[in-house]
Structures are given as structure tokens and as C-alpha cells.
Amino acid sequence: MSLRTLFLVAALGLPWVVRAQAPAVPPPHMDQRVQACTLCHGKEGRATPGGFFPRIAGKPADYLYHQLLNFRDGRRNNDGMRYLLDHLGDDYLRLIAQHFASLDLPYPPPLPPQGDAATLALGEALVRRGDPARDLPACTACHGAAMTGVRPAVPGLLGLPRDYLIGQLGAWQTGLRKAFAPDCMAHVAQRLSPTDVAAVASWLAAQPLPGDPHPAAPTTEPLPLRCGLTPPAPGATR
């Protein structure tokens, strides 16, 4: 185990044992135990101005939990996150996710739009209507009409920096970011041109949060694509 790993695991208040599991009772002072997370994601997970570390406060708990699994298990490629999570067990990752999901904090106003009117119009059209000719569903069809996400596992798209959105769509296009199969976001991203990616990211990053910024309640409506939102059961095929 590297010195960096020891430092990060210690920052989470854990013994340096392989895949340490959470205690039966949630530990006290969870805000102190996740200080390693806030070094990059900002105070209380509010995000930082740099543009590459997203807000995690208030995201759906299952979404956060599954992303922690994805980083730990290699479906998302980030050395810092992998070092941080490699020795943490599933139970503790769920506690971290539940902690940040429980934070109900105000959002800052969006930055001024980047891009001309045509670029922003293209971004809005793809977000709201998609492009059926390219088998591209609207972003709102999965992420909610208000684009604030849908509990328990679909994240919101507002309040994220433009550069972060571009980076994540690019990661899906190149295979650096993956999700549980079937990976519907890879399907979407690989149908977007560089112009589309810039347009969607520019329009989303310029949108203010609605009066109720919380993820929408779960819905029984089917998604437009088959999505692996949860880990497959052992031995199951999708």
C-alpha cells in the first residue's frame, strides 16, 4: 500500500485493512470522516470553481454509491479515486453515498453561457428532444423533466461545470468511463459529434436550478433505453 493510499484511508477514519467494512452502527461525525472527499469536491461536496470536480452534495444516494463502486472496481478511470477507495468495502461506500445524498445545500448561480446562439439552441434541442434519427433520446427522458435527476439512481445534469460535462461525455465516447451493462450512456455519447457535446454541455452549464432542485421521485415509466443502473445479480445476464 502506498503512502498516498495510507493517507487517504486514514483521512476517512478507517484502519488500513483490505476492503474494510462499515461498522454495524453508522459512525459518528461522518462529515469529518469524508474530509478526503471534500479536498477535491469542495466544502460539503458543493464542488469547486475549477470545473473538473463535480458537486456531489444532494445527488441520489444510489447514484453516488454506484459511482464509488465504479471508481473502485475500474469502470471509471481516475487514479486518485481508485487510491482512495481501493481498500473500502461496499458497506462503507454506501455510508459515504448516503452522507452526501443527505446534504441539502443551496446551489450557486450558473456561469454566463459559453457559445453563440446557434450552439446553445442545438444544445437545448438535444437535451429536450433528442434526435430520433440517430437513436438519441432526450436527456430529460432519463434525467427528469427538470433535469435534477430521478431517485434512486439517476443523477441531475444541472449545477455541473461545462468542462466536467464535456470530459464525462468524452470519457464515455472513448471507453474511459463505463457503467453497469447495458451502458446506455455509452450508447448516447457515441452518437454525439464534438459539436453536439460542446452544445449540450454549454447549454446545461448555463441553466439555473429550478425552485425545487431535488431529484424527482421514482417513476414507473420505462426509460427510452435499457440502462444498467444497478449492479447485475450474481450469475445474471442483461
Side-chain angles (χ1 to χ4, degrees), residues 47-135:
T48 53
F52 294 102
F53 297 103
R55 178 188 176 106
I56 52 179
K59 287 285 191 295
D62 279 11
Y63 171 75
L64 292 174
Y65 172 62
H66 295 146
Q67 297 318 300
L68 291 170
L69 291 178
N70 288 342
F71 278 118
R72 190 194 68 187
D73 299 338
R75 284 176 293 273
R76 293 187 68 172
N77 184 27
N78 182 290
D79 286 343
M81 288 294 294
R82 188 175 69 251
Y83 281 127
L84 177 63
L85 302 173
D86 187 46
H87 296 273
L88 304 185
D90 295 1
D91 290 347
Y92 207 92
L93 296 186
R94 189 171 287 283
L95 283 180
I96 294 172
Q98 290 170 345
H99 168 76
F100 283 108
S102 71
L103 300 179
D104 191 2
L105 305 170
Y107 282 77
L111 296 175
Q114 297 185 46
D116 57 25
T119 296
L120 296 173
L122 172 61
E124 181 178 12
L126 290 170
V127 169
R128 296 194 183 281
R129 297 188 294 278
D131 186 347
R134 288 186 282 166
D135 195 21

Side-chain angles (χ1 to χ4, degrees), residues 107-117 119-121 123-124 127-128 146-147 157-166 197-210:
Y107 282 77
L111 296 175
Q114 297 185 46
D116 57 25
T119 296
L120 296 173
E124 181 178 12
V127 169
R128 296 194 183 281
M147 296 170 290
L157 299 178
L158 303 184
L160 294 168
R162 176 181 180 272
D163 289 346
Y164 175 78
L165 291 166
I166 289 174
V197 169
V200 167
S202 297
W203 187 80
L204 285 171
Q207 303 311 301
L209 271 291

